[in-house]
Amino acid sequence: MNNSLQVHEETASHYFHRGNLLKQSGKFDESAAAYQRCTELNPDFSWYHHNLGEVLAKLGQRDGAEKSYRRACELNPNSAWSWHNLGEVLEQQGNIDETVAAYRKAVELYPDFYEFHNSLGKALCSQGQLDESVSCLRKAIELDSESALPYQNLWEALARLGRVDEGMDCLRRAIELNPGEGDLYLKLAEALQGKNEFAEAVGYYRKAIQLKPDLYWPYYKLGTALSAQGQWEEAIGSYRKAVELEPGSAIVHHYLGHTLSVVQRWEEAIASYRKALDIVPNAAVIYQHLGDALAKLQKWEQAAGAYRKSVEFDPNSLEAQDHLGFALYQLGRYDEAISAYRRALEIAPNSDVVNCHLGDALRGRAGVQPLQKDIDRDLDQAVKCYGRTIELNPSNLEAAQKAVEIKSNDSKLYLQLGKALAEQGQLDGAIAQYRRVLDRSSDSWEAHHYLGEALAKLGRWDEAIASYDRCVKVHPDDFMSYAGLGDVWLGKGMPERAIEFYQKAIELNPNLAEVYDKLGNTLAKVGRQKEASVCYRRALELKTKVS
């Protein structure tokens, strides 16, 4: 070596030694300057570039760190650590494909070191190569079964594969190996909560809080688990602690408001919702929940304002549009309420709730219309809305009753009321409504049919038979009444008669899988097994065809 090169190398070694001491002291800026000087004096020595990359990475100067590590790898392509550290920087930059390539090179050069397999497994998980990720992480554990980190990363990969129970075992093992790491308890608690194992989740959240009492997130998650168990007051306390630690978290203020609403502490809930909206002023769902709390206090004007903001930010929110309509209805602003309900029906035309509410608003407006023609028009539309409600939800007794109140001379509405009562299990009331229809129109085959159904459910067999008989006289093609007659005769203990009527029902409609099953059961009951088998096969064919 000539004298000039020797002097430069001695000087570079001096700066390298100085850089190492400064790095150990945490003086990374000065250390970086020393290493930089090394690379200037001797640009072809890989470890000068490698160490410069280390301190630049610690300083958050990722581009510079990447450049240094790449140069180290060029100068010494057999340095597993340089490839690994390059992978770390690339991972921080979000360059996942090159990250994986760098880690693969490190593993290739030094296949017996667990940390390289762990890093590669974690990166492969991020890349979505989950099966290979699991293999790498299991190899890391094989090489060092006492390190918690590969178990934690293996949890992530297994969870993404849907193998949650296996993953949770990994988290438990990680906790055994590193019992002082609060994040592990938090992850296990969240996994348990995802499986609805709330009581155990609560215990792990509390442990995470014990280890990291200054983090708001475990308090928030604890609140959600306590809420899921109906422990509302404890949940409120946990949420309050979370917002104390992180006043800028909108989600915690929102959940606190929601839980306060559950226990009907409306003023406090409103205050929490408002704080959440100070942080995220365009959150439609929070405006909706604020409106709901204001509505509970009958502050209808304020509620309407909150709902308007909600639909401004989310015009397709069915709930917010419906609730806006209700607030406006309460204020007697029927035109606006009707408009809100119609917009809600544009979103969900088959909502029985909104159809019923629209009926209410039309009925309300009819009460203040000055002209009879406008009154009649609104009431007609209201009845149609209630009719649509019952069509969508036959058990909606309220809508059926309201329709009858408007048009007390309409037999069809009494029939609907009877069906709604029957759906609610109020069979005596249903029978009374069907008889009222028949008093007005004795040839209503539908009333005879539904009357027969209700009487049969009460075990009033003879009356049911009489009703079904009258139905088929008026409407001979009503196959369901013949099926009903089969049920009644079977209920009376006369299976041969039941068979006749089931066969008649099938003759009229050969696609009745349920009736084929009933016919098969009845034939088997009287020992006609072969015929029963034919019926069962046909029922199965029909069910398969439908599915």
Side-chain angles (χ1 to χ4, degrees):
M1 180 182 294
N2 65 40
N3 289 339
S4 176
L5 284 175
Q6 188 173 0
V7 169
H8 278 169
E9 183 51 39
E10 287 173 356
T11 308
S13 297
H14 167 74
Y15 278 110
F16 188 62
H17 178 66
R18 175 176 169 76
N20 290 339
L21 292 175
L22 289 165
K23 181 175 69 170
Q24 291 169 10
S25 302
K27 298 177 179 179
F28 300 124
D29 284 313
E30 295 173 63
S31 176
Y35 290 137
Q36 181 64 46
R37 184 60 180 151
C38 290
T39 64
E40 293 166 359
L41 293 168
N42 186 356
D44 296 328
F45 186 55
S46 68
W47 285 105
Y48 295 163
H49 294 280
H50 178 98
N51 283 26
L52 176 57
E54 281 188 346
V55 292
L56 290 174
K58 289 184 181 295
L59 288 167
Q61 298 178 31
R62 292 171 183 165
D63 291 342
E66 178 194 348
K67 182 179 178 182
S68 293
Y69 283 133
R70 285 194 187 278
R71 182 60 180 150
C73 291
E74 287 173 10
L75 293 167
N76 184 8
N78 293 320
S79 172
W81 274 110
S82 292
W83 285 107
H84 178 266
N85 289 12
L86 173 60
E88 286 186 325
V89 172
L90 291 166
E91 188 172 6
Q92 291 166 6
Q93 292 175 318
N95 188 343
I96 193 64
D97 290 337
E98 286 196 76
T99 297
V100 168
Y103 286 147
R104 283 195 194 281
K105 189 67 176 175
V107 167
E108 177 188 324
L109 291 165
Y110 191 1
D112 295 330
F113 187 45
Y114 89 95
E115 188 173 333
F116 293 168
H117 288 279
N118 175 66
S119 296
L120 177 56
K122 181 185 175 188
L124 286 164
C125 183
S126 298
Q127 198 179 43
Q129 298 189 52
L130 300 177
D131 290 326
E132 189 181 358
S133 170
V134 169
S135 297
C136 285
L137 294 166
R138 290 204 187 281
K139 182 63 177 179
I141 291 167
E142 179 187 321
L143 292 167
D144 185 354
S145 61
E146 299 303 307
S147 174
L149 196 55
Y151 286 102
Q152 180 177 339
N153 290 332
L154 182 53
W155 143 253
E156 301 287 352
L158 289 169
R160 288 182 62 181
L161 283 167
R163 293 153 62 180
V164 175
D165 289 336
E166 285 181 74
M168 288 168 63
D169 288 340
C170 292
L171 283 176
R172 288 191 170 93
R173 177 60 178 151
I175 287 170
E176 288 176 11
L177 294 168
N178 190 7
E181 178 50 64
D183 285 345
L184 294 173
Y185 294 93
L186 179 61
K187 287 178 184 294
L188 183 53
E190 289 175 330
L192 287 162
Q193 186 169 355
K195 290 170 61 67
N196 295 328
E197 296 177 18
F198 300 111
E200 193 176 357
V202 164
Y204 282 104
Y205 282 133
R206 293 195 191 283
K207 184 63 177 177
I209 288 167
Q210 181 184 335
L211 291 167
K212 292 191 173 181
D214 296 330
L215 295 180
Y216 84 97
W217 189 257
Y219 283 102
Y220 159 68
K221 293 297 293 185
L222 174 59
T224 64
L226 290 166
S227 293
Q229 292 182 290
Q231 296 173 246
W232 307 115
E233 293 299 336
E234 287 185 71
I236 288 167
S238 192
Y239 290 137
R240 288 202 188 283
K241 183 62 179 177
V243 296
E244 178 186 319
L245 291 167
E246 181 47 79
S249 173
I251 192 172
V252 182
H253 286 293
H254 184 196
Y255 272 68
L256 174 57
H258 177 70
T259 311
L260 289 162
S261 293
V262 171
V263 296
Q264 300 183 23
R265 288 157 61 178
W266 304 115
E267 294 287 4
E268 293 173 78
I270 289 165
S272 290
Y273 290 138
R274 291 197 190 284
K275 286 178 183 175
L277 289 166
D278 286 340
I279 301 163
V280 282
N282 60 347
V285 70
I286 303 178
Y287 275 111
Q288 183 198 314
H289 291 167
L290 171 61
D292 293 343
L294 290 162
K296 289 294 183 181
L297 295 177
Q298 298 186 9
K299 296 182 177 181
W300 300 114
E301 195 68 57
Q302 293 181 53
Y307 293 136
R308 284 195 194 282
K309 292 294 286 185
S310 182
V311 299
E312 175 188 334
F313 292 117
D314 184 5
N316 293 318
S317 170
L318 173 65
E319 248 189 311
Q321 291 282 10
D322 179 53
H323 292 193
L324 172 59
F326 188 73
L328 293 165
Y329 170 78
Q330 294 295 327
L331 289 165
R333 287 149 60 177
Y334 299 118
D335 289 341
E336 294 175 76
I338 289 165
S339 295
Y341 288 136
R342 292 200 190 281
R343 284 193 294 272
L345 287 174
E346 289 173 8
I347 299 166
N350 294 329
S351 168
D352 62 301
V353 172
V354 179
N355 274 286
C356 190
H357 287 169
L358 176 56
D360 292 343
L362 288 161
R363 190 180 182 189
R365 187 171 70 177
V368 296
Q369 291 281 28
L371 301 176
Q372 188 62 45
K373 67 179 182 65
D374 293 329
I375 295 172
D376 292 340
R377 182 199 63 211
D378 280 348
L379 290 177
D380 284 341
Q381 289 182 15
V383 169
K384 287 178 182 176
C385 288
Y386 294 137
R388 177 65 175 151
T389 300
I390 298 162
E391 179 185 327
L392 293 164
N393 180 7
S395 65
N396 193 318
L397 184 57
E398 180 186 5
Q401 289 170 329
K402 287 176 177 177
V404 167
E405 287 170 8
I406 295 171
K407 289 195 173 182
S408 57
N409 60 346
D410 190 328
S411 295
K412 182 181 176 183
L413 298 179
Y414 284 105
L415 185 65
Q416 288 181 333
L417 178 56
K419 289 161 68 175
L421 288 162
E423 286 282 340
Q424 296 279 1
Q426 299 181 40
L427 296 174
D428 288 328
I431 288 168
Q433 297 306 321
Y434 298 141
R435 292 198 191 282
R436 178 176 286 186
V437 174
L438 292 168
D439 286 343
R440 294 166 179 266
S441 177
S442 61
D443 61 350
S444 170
W445 68 269
E446 286 182 288
H448 285 300
H449 173 84
Y450 288 115
L451 177 57
E453 273 191 359
L455 291 164
K457 287 177 182 176
L458 291 172
R460 292 158 63 175
W461 308 122
D462 292 335
E463 292 175 83
I465 289 169
S467 290
Y468 282 135
D469 280 342
R470 283 191 285 271
C471 177
V472 296
K473 283 177 184 174
V474 177
H475 185 43
D477 295 331
D478 181 26
F479 51 87
M480 290 309 298
S481 285
Y482 285 106
L485 281 165
D487 293 341
V488 173
W489 283 109
L490 190 62
K492 282 175 67 69
M494 300 180 69
E496 293 291 354
R497 291 299 306 278
I499 289 167
E500 293 175 28
F501 287 106
Y502 288 141
Q503 289 173 331
K504 180 63 176 176
I506 289 168
E507 180 186 324
L508 291 168
N509 185 345
N511 296 314
L512 299 170
E514 184 182 357
V515 179
Y516 272 108
D517 272 331
K518 289 179 178 180
L519 178 55
N521 291 338
T522 312
L523 288 164
K525 190 172 185 178
V526 298
R528 294 159 66 178
Q529 305 296 342
K530 289 184 179 180
E531 293 173 83
S533 295
V534 172
C535 289
Y536 290 140
R537 280 197 297 273
R538 181 57 181 154
L540 185 59
E541 287 171 9
L542 290 168
K543 291 173 186 174
T544 305
K545 185 177 180 181
V546 170
S547 63

